[in-house]
Amino acid sequence: MNKIEVSQKYQIPIKILNEYESWGLCDAVKIVMGQWQYDDTDLERLSTIMTLHNIGFENKEIEHYMRLLLEVNDSQQTRIDFLTQKRKAKLALIHQQEKQLEKIDYMCHEIKNKSKEVL
């Protein structure tokens, strides 16, 4: 499949396909008649890339992760560590947002209490 077919069939933005191609992560030349041809391996990689995009990875982080994934030596622990770091950062953000929600709830509670006092 070419880039447009992959984009339409799998709902992958052309921008992401362009990034993937620019990283040069393929083992063999996959250009036929001037267009990149995507195979099942590419689609599996793109699925991983889309997942990483969806969970908030930046482009450089995705490229780094994909290079680790494709290394000849075993990078399993390095990838786990990388994902664990991202998870910790997400949890810290969630905790920060929970504290903000608590403050909002407190302020609403205070407003309601003051309005009861006026009555």
Side-chain angles (χ1 to χ4, degrees):
M1 281 188 279
N2 66 34
K3 186 185 306 188
I4 293 171
E5 293 168 335
V6 169
S7 177
Q8 290 173 349
K9 184 173 182 177
Y10 297 103
Q11 312 298 296
I12 301 172
I14 294 289
K15 178 182 175 185
I16 290 174
L17 296 174
N18 288 338
E19 288 170 5
Y20 177 67
E21 290 179 13
S22 74
W23 294 338
L25 299 175
C26 294
D27 301 329
V29 175
K30 295 184 180 182
I31 298 178
V32 177
M33 297 188 64
Q35 289 188 335
W36 189 282
Q37 295 297 308
Y38 291 86
D39 61 18
D40 289 341
T41 301
D42 292 314
L43 296 175
E44 287 177 31
R45 291 175 185 165
L46 286 165
S47 175
T48 300
I49 289 168
M50 291 301 294
T51 299
L52 294 171
H53 268 287
N54 289 337
I55 59 177
F57 275 61
E58 300 293 327
N59 290 345
K60 288 186 180 208
E61 293 172 315
I62 294 170
E63 182 179 4
H64 176 71
Y65 183 89
M66 294 306 294
R67 290 192 184 284
L68 288 172
L69 180 65
L70 299 175
E71 279 185 359
V72 176
N73 61 352
D74 185 26
S75 66
Q76 183 178 3
Q77 189 58 51
T78 305
R79 287 182 285 131
I80 289 171
D81 293 343
F82 192 55
L83 291 169
T84 300
Q85 288 174 352
K86 194 67 166 181
R87 185 178 192 283
K88 286 179 182 179
K90 291 286 184 190
L91 278 174
L93 181 60
I94 288 169
H95 292 306
Q96 177 188 10
Q97 291 174 335
E98 285 176 336
K99 288 178 184 179
Q100 291 171 343
L101 286 172
E102 288 172 5
K103 289 178 183 179
I104 290 170
D105 291 343
Y106 175 77
M107 291 177 76
C108 287
H109 176 74
E110 287 295 305
I111 292 168
K112 288 176 184 176
N113 280 344
K114 287 183 181 182
S115 68
K116 287 180 184 176
E117 290 174 8
V118 172
L119 298 175

